[in-house]
Amino acid sequence: MNSQKITKELSQRINIYKLILTFMVVYIHAYSSSNSNNISEISPWLENFKYIISQAISKSSVPAFFFLSAFFLYRKDFSWKENVKQKFKTLGISYLLLNFIWIIFFFVAQELPYTRNFFISSGKIIKDYNFIDFSNAFLGFKNTFSPFLYTLWFVRDLLFLNILSKIIWKFIDKIPNLMLIITVILWLTIESTGIFCLDIQAICFWILGGIIVKKNIKLDIADKIPFLLLTLIYVFSITVDLLSRDMQIHMSIHRFNVIIGIIFWFSLTKFLINGNLKQYLLNLSAYNFSIYLFHEFTLRFAKKICAKILPASTISQFLQYFFLPIAVIAFCVILSICLKKILPKFYSLLTGGRT
């Protein structure tokens, strides 16, 4: 493995990059092809706008997180046993605890008369769960391949990849060029891996992160591309992604656009790191993981409440789509700050020791 030095500036850029990616994740979950107000049709311009933000742009976020995770693991020698033990502390405990907390929360809410209908509408009736259902709630091996708290599929796959990390590295180390070709082809052409619940974006971008290390390619190599040119390429790629939705080749076009997006948003951080927002963004980036952990059900409940009390007009849908994620992110940050001050040990446990 090649040791890659992370300078202070590059570290700050990566933290800001992760913040951007986290915002994108929230907007992915804000997206729905049919609006939350149960209207039979949605305005075409609003559907296109939502697709551009949540799919064409934001879908770059999760692959980028897998890429960075592999990059940071492989950039220096590590003990498999110690790494797995450390990942269980920083990821596994959060994964198990948050799933458990939400299962208990839903169980109680479904038994109370004033909240029963609101929580039963999720389709998850906890009192009817059997052993298989509870196992699936934690592992996510059926249907959607997601655990009870949907967003934690990322953490589960990340843990799985860390367990396989040494095996994957052997292939990267021996045949890096062939692995690169195979991985890109798989990403552009294969819908799913068929390997337990391991997502295609998880395995592909984990391998790409390892290949970057093996070939000793610096993360800031993207800076060599003129930013104006990169922006024009990205805008063109997003446009083609949008216009090709009904074509058979759309999956490949969309996934190619994801790669361009990963490069573009990291390249953008070279300007943000020198801007007036730098310190604010760095302070906010300390809550990246807690935003990721806390936003899913918060956003889902907020959408349900808005669907009941707000008008079902197109402009109302637009405002909900655009501003609810921002409000949810703010709520998650405030919640994190409060938990850190009031229950620091519990917050640390929830977030895998992050302070």
Side-chain angles (χ1 to χ4, degrees), residues 81-111:
K81 182 179 179 180
E82 290 303 315
N83 177 59
V84 171
K85 185 188 298 184
Q86 180 65 19
K87 289 302 188 295
F88 181 77
K89 290 180 180 179
T90 58
L91 297 173
I93 293 175
S94 299
Y95 178 85
L96 295 172
L97 187 58
L98 280 164
N99 271 309
F100 178 76
I101 288 173
W102 277 111
I103 289 171
I104 296 299
F105 181 83
F106 265 71
F107 174 77
V108 173
Q110 288 172 356
E111 294 301 305

Side-chain angles (χ1 to χ4, degrees), residues 34-65:
S34 59
N35 68 71
S36 58
N37 294 78
N38 298 318
I39 303 177
S40 58
E41 295 183 359
I42 184 172
S43 173
W45 73 262
L46 179 57
E47 175 62 23
N48 289 337
F49 177 80
K50 291 168 69 175
Y51 180 85
I52 289 171
I53 300 299
S54 293
Q55 302 293 306
I57 292 176
S58 295
K59 281 291 187 175
S60 295
S61 57
V62 177
F65 275 126

